Amino acid sequence: TQLLEQSPQFLSIQEGENLTVYCNSSSVFSSLQWYRQEPGEGPVLLVTVVTGGEVKKLKRLTFQFGDARKDSSLHITAAQTGDTGLYLCADSTSGTYKYIFGTGTRLKVLA
Amino acid sequence: NAGVTQTPKFQVLKTGQSMTLQCAQDMNHNSMYWYRQDPGMGLRLIYYSASEGTTDKGEVPNGYNVSRLNKREFSLRLESAAPSQTSVYFCASTLGGELFFGEGSRLTVL
């Protein structure tokens, strides 16, 4: 059974700081997704990465996929209070429609 | 567009009671999912339905049953609720890429 471990579990930073959160898998990813969840809502997709070594940018967010496709990182530059939320990585088991999620990183950006 | 709609949004049960969480999507998606989210944890997959007429167990299926009523609707049933099933439940759907989630159903079992 694939396990997705995220670190750190909690992160509290000041507005304007940079941060990186990580997602590591016990097996090779099929296609890794990153979601953000705000309180009282369901998760919303940020990005999907498929190819080893792939880097995707979404404004101040940079997503990187490890060469061996077993790890991924999300880097936020100059964090804003609006970045506060729970960041989740997810993978769909190859050949199935089964999506599992990581343990999550709860980010709080202080003004 | 309504997207994914879950009912009820809040429910309090006593141990041993039964209930059904309803989920409907209007995006013509093939696959639907039920997850639970506990404090300090990510989402754990309970059951999923890859397409109409099929259902499969996820990571934590014990104590739950599901029904894919038609392409739009996927229900989750607790036959005999236990305090360990206190959680926030999310329904989701997809065509095979992005998951779209409902707003969640908060269930408390006393």
Side-chain angles (χ1 to χ4, degrees), chain B residues 34 46-48 55-56 64-68 74-77:
Chain B
W34 277 106
I46 305 171
Y47 271 94
Y48 68 105
T55 60
D56 285 286
Y64 304 95
N65 286 302
V66 290
S67 295
R68 184 74 183 265
F74 189 39
S75 63
L76 178 71
R77 183 161 178 83

Side-chain angles (χ1 to χ4, degrees), chain A:
Chain A
T1 303
Q2 183 183 21
L3 294 175
L4 298 177
E5 294 283 344
Q6 292 186 242
S7 61
Q9 188 175 1
F10 299 100
L11 191 55
S12 181
I13 62 170
Q14 292 294 130
E15 199 168 28
E17 291 184 349
N18 301 332
L19 67 114
T20 303
V21 298
Y22 302 91
C23 175
N24 291 285
S25 176
S26 57
S27 56
V28 173
F29 290 130
S30 174
S31 67
L32 186 73
Q33 298 177 327
W34 283 94
Y35 289 80
R36 179 169 65 210
Q37 183 181 21
E38 298 187 13
E41 299 181 6
V44 175
L45 181 70
L46 295 173
V47 75
T48 300
V49 287
V50 177
T51 306
E54 185 174 5
V55 177
K56 283 193 173 181
K57 293 192 174 184
L58 184 66
K59 297 183 180 178
R60 294 176 293 101
L61 278 59
T62 301
F63 303 85
Q64 190 153 6
F65 204 21
D67 290 339
R69 296 173 60 209
K70 293 188 70 176
D71 60 275
S72 180
S73 63
L74 159 58
H75 181 80
I76 301 179
T77 302
Q80 300 176 356
T81 55
D83 296 325
T84 292
L86 178 67
Y87 288 81
L88 296 159
C89 61
D91 189 26
S92 61
T93 306
S94 181
T96 77
Y97 293 91
K98 183 179 178 181
Y99 288 77
I100 64 166
F101 281 78
T103 50
T105 293
R106 191 167 296 280
L107 171 66
K108 187 167 186 178
V109 181
L110 305 170

Side-chain angles (χ1 to χ4, degrees), chain B residues 73-84:
Chain B
E73 298 172 290
F74 189 39
S75 63
L76 178 71
R77 183 161 178 83
L78 287 70
E79 291 291 351
S80 179
S84 60

Side-chain angles (χ1 to χ4, degrees), chain B residues 34-101:
Chain B
W34 277 106
Y35 291 90
R36 61 176 289 173
Q37 186 171 38
D38 301 313
M41 302 186 75
L43 298 170
R44 291 187 291 171
L45 181 61
I46 305 171
Y47 271 94
Y48 68 105
S49 172
S51 61
E52 186 179 356
T54 69
T55 60
D56 285 286
K57 294 179 180 179
E59 301 167 281
V60 289
N62 291 345
Y64 304 95
N65 286 302
V66 290
S67 295
R68 184 74 183 265
L69 305 170
N70 48 56
K71 191 171 186 177
R72 290 186 63 248
E73 298 172 290
F74 189 39
S75 63
L76 178 71
R77 183 161 178 83
L78 287 70
E79 291 291 351
S80 179
S84 60
Q85 294 177 305
T86 292
S87 189
V88 180
Y89 291 84
F90 286 96
C91 178
S93 70
T94 185
L95 266 178
E98 177 178 2
L99 286 168
F100 290 85
F101 286 84

